[in-house]
Amino acid sequence: MKIDIEERVLHFKQPAGTSRGVYTERKIWLVKMTDRDAVGIGECAPLPKLSCDDIPHYAEVLRRFCDEVERSGQLDTEALRDYPSMLFGLETAMLSFAKTQHSTPFSKGEVGIPINGLVWMGTYEEMKERIEQKLAQGFHCIKLKIGAIDFDAELELIKKIRERFSHHEVELRVDANGAFPFDEALYKLELLSQYALHSIEQPIKAGQWANMAELCRESPLPIALDEELIGVNDPDQKRQMLNIIRPRYIILKPSLHGGMMGVREWIDIANDMDIGSWITSALESNIGLNAIAQFCADVYGDNIPMPQGLGTGQLFTDNIPMPLEIRGDKLWISKNS
């Protein structure tokens, strides 16, 4: 077996704004396994200043793991626990190399996965226009990135949606990316709860377990964890954290939260505590998005519990072609590809 690594830079069609900053381009590493006629490809895509394996000399560390796979023909998942984006890319490459991809109704093009429509941060007018576009495309679940513009303006946007659509017609999720100061968070959650939101993602910065646990107890709005899970790679620590904080949901990104192996652990632990979950991409190319979608369909089977966060395949001007398409509010594998 031989493994080659290719570094690529993808470019966003429009700046992608979060409370942590604005993305205009995205660096990824593609790993390609070959042996005679067998080929497997995966994507390693750490997020700058967010992934626990966003490290100096990333390519050199990835090369060492690839060399070990070349030597042994096996993936040492335990050694890769603290390098989730590398683990996910190599897991994906190994599955496609061995021709053991998940076989599900989704992978056969028979059903689509329900997804949310993602609205990035921007000015009031930009966000209003993006919301209108998602609604016109047929999305019944909208996720809004909040925390960058004036909070009152964000409330006004949400109010206008609710004036037009009840929570039975359009599900609204908001993602604060840790933007709220703890001493303001509960008040803001109370204001947001007026509009029958499904949930809020990561209202305060990660690492404040006691404060987050208090919010989860007191909030009138269900809280979902995302950034809080980053870097928590040991199964016992995962259980400890969820037992302390007790969120309503966890949001799982294989590139950030332990690859496919780690995400399965999170879901099993969460299920034991009656904590819900959904899976989302983390700004990967279509290579990674396809792998996450296939994985999602395998994990949840025929009963995908709620819209997933898999609508990122149209973000880049120079994405990698894959047989993925969005029809209405579902992601499909195209049968004709």
Side-chain angles (χ1 to χ4, degrees):
M1 178 194 295
K2 182 176 185 294
I3 303 178
D4 294 310
I5 301 173
E6 177 189 353
E7 181 180 319
R8 286 200 185 189
V9 177
L10 305 175
H11 301 86
F12 284 85
K13 292 178 180 177
Q14 58 186 29
T18 76
S19 60
R20 293 185 301 271
V22 178
Y23 292 110
T24 58
E25 61 183 31
R26 178 81 164 99
K27 184 184 290 187
I28 64 171
W29 286 263
L30 299 177
V31 290
K32 185 177 182 181
M33 298 179 177
T34 55
D35 187 5
R36 298 183 179 88
D37 294 332
V39 178
I41 189 166
E43 176 178 353
C44 303
L47 279 169
K49 301 180 181 179
L50 185 61
S51 297
C52 65
D53 56 355
D54 173 36
I55 55 175
H57 314 297
Y58 182 94
E60 289 87 342
V61 175
L62 176 59
R63 181 68 261 170
R64 288 202 295 271
F65 283 120
C66 290
D67 290 345
E68 179 59 26
V69 175
E70 284 183 341
R71 184 193 66 77
S72 67
Q74 297 179 337
L75 192 60
D76 187 346
T77 54
E78 289 302 317
L80 280 156
R81 271 192 181 274
D82 292 332
Y83 304 89
S85 67
M86 299 184 199
L87 174 56
F88 174 62
L90 287 167
E91 285 176 315
T92 301
M94 291 286 279
L95 281 172
S96 61
F97 178 81
K99 300 291 186 276
T100 54
Q101 293 101 320
H102 310 290
S103 179
T104 63
F106 170 75
S107 69
K108 298 171 186 174
E110 297 170 356
V111 301
I113 297 175
I115 61 175
N116 61 244
L118 178 60
V119 175
W120 292 96
M121 290 177 177
T123 66
Y124 177 89
E125 290 302 324
E126 286 171 340
M127 292 183 72
K128 182 173 180 292
E129 181 180 351
R130 291 168 190 168
I131 291 167
E132 294 287 352
Q133 290 172 351
K134 295 300 179 186
L135 293 172
Q137 289 166 12
F139 283 95
H140 295 93
C141 177
I142 304 290
K143 175 179 171 179
L144 301 172
K145 293 277 189 178
I146 64 172
I149 64 174
D150 178 71
F151 183 68
D152 290 337
E154 291 170 338
L155 280 178
E156 186 63 23
L157 275 171
I158 294 168
K159 179 182 177 182
K160 286 185 181 299
I161 298 173
R162 275 289 169 257
E163 287 173 348
R164 289 178 54 192
F165 301 98
S166 74
H167 68 281
H168 298 294
E169 297 170 295
V170 174
E171 180 180 284
L172 289 178
R173 302 171 178 174
V174 294
D175 180 4
N177 285 126
F180 299 163
F182 173 67
D183 59 359
E184 299 176 10
L186 187 57
Y187 174 66
K188 290 184 174 182
L189 294 177
E190 289 170 349
L191 292 177
L192 287 165
S193 70
Q194 302 173 77
Y195 302 109
L197 304 186
H198 173 271
S199 57
I200 181 167
E201 185 176 333
Q202 202 68 43
I204 62 174
K205 288 182 180 178
Q208 307 175 71
W209 288 12
N211 288 343
M212 187 66 86
E214 181 179 336
L215 283 182
C216 288
R217 287 194 304 270
E218 302 296 331
S219 173
L221 187 60
I223 291 176
L225 303 185
D226 176 3
E227 287 91 341
E228 201 73 62
L229 313 181
I230 296 171
V232 182
N233 300 317
D234 176 75
D236 291 337
Q237 191 179 17
K238 292 176 181 181
R239 188 173 296 276
Q240 179 189 30
M241 190 193 75
L242 291 185
N243 191 47
I244 290 170
I245 297 178
R246 293 283 173 164
R248 184 76 63 87
Y249 303 103
I250 56 174
I251 301 170
L252 297 161
K253 300 178 172 74
S255 289
L256 292 176
H257 301 136
M260 299 182 204
M261 175 191 75
V263 166
R264 287 188 189 275
E265 286 180 351
W266 278 114
I267 291 173
D268 288 343
I269 294 167
N271 286 343
D272 287 345
M273 299 183 187
D274 199 27
I275 295 170
S277 65
W278 67 88
I279 292 173
T280 181
S281 52
L283 305 181
E284 294 89 356
S285 78
N286 279 335
I287 297 289
L289 177 61
N290 176 64
I292 295 167
Q294 304 266 6
F295 172 67
C296 176
D298 183 64
V299 167
Y300 292 124
D302 295 334
N303 299 307
I304 293 179
M306 61 189 77
Q308 308 292 296
L310 304 175
T312 57
Q314 299 172 324
L315 292 177
F316 304 109
T317 61
D318 43 9
N319 210 335
I320 299 165
M322 290 291 288
L324 297 170
E325 59 179 326
I326 296 175
R327 302 179 214 155
D329 64 349
K330 292 184 178 180
L331 180 69
W332 291 79
I333 294 281
S334 175
K335 284 185 174 181
N336 299 321
S337 299

